[in-house]
Each structure stands twice: as C-alpha cells, then as structure tokens.
Amino acid sequence: MATLLKIHPENPQPRLITKAAEVLRDGGLIAYPTDSCYALGCALENKAGIERITRIRHLDSKHHFTLMCHDFAQLGQFVIVDNSDFRAIKSMTPGPYTFIMKATKEVPRRMMHPKKHSVGARIPQNTTALALVEAMGEPILSSTLLLPGDEDPLTEADDVMDQIGHDVDVVIESGTPGVVPTSVIDFTGRYPEVARVGAGDVSRFDEE
C-alpha cells in the first residue's frame, strides 16, 4: 500500500519533499496534486515508471506524457520554443496549461510521440508540485490521474488511496488541487492549436 505524505500546501516541509523526491529517484511512482488535479509522476529515465502509468491509465503509444517543470528556463532545456511562440507560452506560465512542442535530445525517446517526436511540458501554479520538481533538479515525467472509464480526474487524496493505493508508492496530500485538467495547446504545427479546453483561458487562440 502507498505511503500517504501530508504536506503543507503553502509551506511544504523540506523533510517530506525530500522523502518524496527520494522515492522518485529510487524508481518509484507517486500521485501528487497540481493546480489542475492529481497527476501520476516518476523520474525521467524511469522506464518501469512509464509502463506503470501506461498500465494504470490504459494509455496507447500516441499519448503525450508531460514534463512537469519548475520554471521557464528548465522548460526550455527540454522542448524547442520557437521565437514566434515564446511570448504566448511565457505569459501562460505558471498556470494550468500543457504545451505540446518538439522535444530536445534531453528527453528520453520512450516518452516522445513516436512520429512527431513531441512531448507535453508545463509549469504548475502549485507550491508543493514546484517544490518537488525543484528538489528533483529535473522535470518530473507526469500524466493526469484520469482512470479508465472515468469522466473526471481524481482530486482527493483519500480517493487516490482507495483507487490506486496498491499501484503507486506515495500519495501526497497537500491542500485542494484543481478539479479540471489543463488546457492543452499544440505548438507543433504552423499555428498553435487548442487540443483540449480545460482549466485555463484559451480564447486568445480563437483568433489564430
């Protein structure tokens, strides 16, 4: 059964953040809150972790995994941000947006889209999530905690423990996360395209 870590949402205890980061570094899988709902997360090079996420969510090979980043500088190390898109992406971070962009060589091939060589990336507006990414020193490979057959993602730690407590190593309880998945904007084409309308204003792209 997963360990439940209760972390203060505004002043995360460094000891508990370090403990969660150590689980990730040791090949573990965690469920943690973000500004848009719970997410499943593992270390970038954790092949088994990707397989566990894929199994829990019943994902196919075309799924875009997300790099949960600490800041814009870190995001820029793992995805290619064109000059024409820089201002728009910068203005939406941190926030409940996921950006689909071409991946750099820093991204493990197994988490890229098999044909587009793209990946999702985001910077959450959530203190605990940001502290955890900072403690890792690299992005956390993540996926929205939306279980097969469910219309809505999980948003309560108790529900996460009940539903997948035997499938993950740590569940973090830290305040109330968002209840709507991120809006997803695809920047891999000629013009930005809204791939999913979620928690975040995407009206600016209606004019594209």
Side-chain angles (χ1 to χ4, degrees):
M1 192 68 176
T3 298
L4 179 64
L5 295 182
K6 297 185 177 182
I7 299 178
H8 195 283
E10 297 176 6
N11 298 292
Q13 303 92 318
R15 174 180 60 85
L16 297 181
I17 291 294
T18 297
K19 184 174 182 178
E22 287 175 349
V23 170
L24 290 171
R25 292 193 193 97
D26 289 341
L29 178 64
I30 71 170
Y32 67 105
T34 76
D35 51 348
S36 64
C37 54
Y38 264 86
L40 294 168
C42 67
L44 283 182
E45 298 292 343
N46 188 351
K47 181 180 179 181
I50 294 176
E51 293 172 350
R52 290 171 72 183
I53 293 173
T54 299
R55 184 172 63 252
I56 291 170
R57 289 205 53 201
H58 294 188
L59 301 174
D60 59 31
S61 61
K62 297 180 181 179
H63 178 74
H64 273 107
F65 285 97
T66 297
L67 296 169
M68 195 72 71
C69 300
H70 181 262
D71 52 30
F72 196 82
Q74 187 179 68
L75 182 146
Q77 296 175 27
F78 292 86
V79 293
I80 299 171
V81 183
D82 291 339
N83 290 336
S84 57
D85 302 326
F86 177 89
R87 183 175 297 177
I89 295 172
K90 181 78 171 178
S91 69
M92 291 186 286
T93 56
Y97 300 93
T98 298
F99 311 108
I100 306 299
M101 290 176 282
K102 296 292 185 181
T104 68
K105 294 180 180 179
E106 301 293 325
V107 178
R109 182 171 292 273
R110 67 178 67 92
M111 70 171 293
M112 297 182 192
H113 187 283
K115 293 184 178 180
K116 296 181 179 180
H117 294 168
S118 53
V119 69
R122 64 171 302 223
I123 303 170
Q125 197 166 26
N126 179 282
T127 302
T128 299
L130 289 173
L132 186 56
V133 177
E134 184 176 26
M136 284 293 290
E138 65 178 22
I140 298 173
L141 186 155
S142 298
S143 182
T144 300
L145 184 38
L146 179 63
L147 297 179
D150 289 357
E151 293 185 2
D152 299 311
L154 297 179
T155 58
E156 298 291 338
D158 289 343
D159 292 337
V160 176
M161 289 291 288
D162 290 342
Q163 296 276 353
I164 62 167
H166 290 287
D167 297 315
V168 300
D169 301 295
V170 164
V171 174
I172 294 177
E173 180 181 331
S174 184
T176 303
V179 297
V180 180
T182 59
S183 290
V184 179
I185 301 98
D186 190 336
F187 284 91
T188 61
R190 185 174 181 182
Y191 300 105
E193 180 179 344
V194 178
R196 181 178 72 196
V197 177
D201 182 11
V202 295
S203 59
R204 64 190 299 166
F205 298 105
D206 294 339
E207 302 173 358
E208 298 290 346

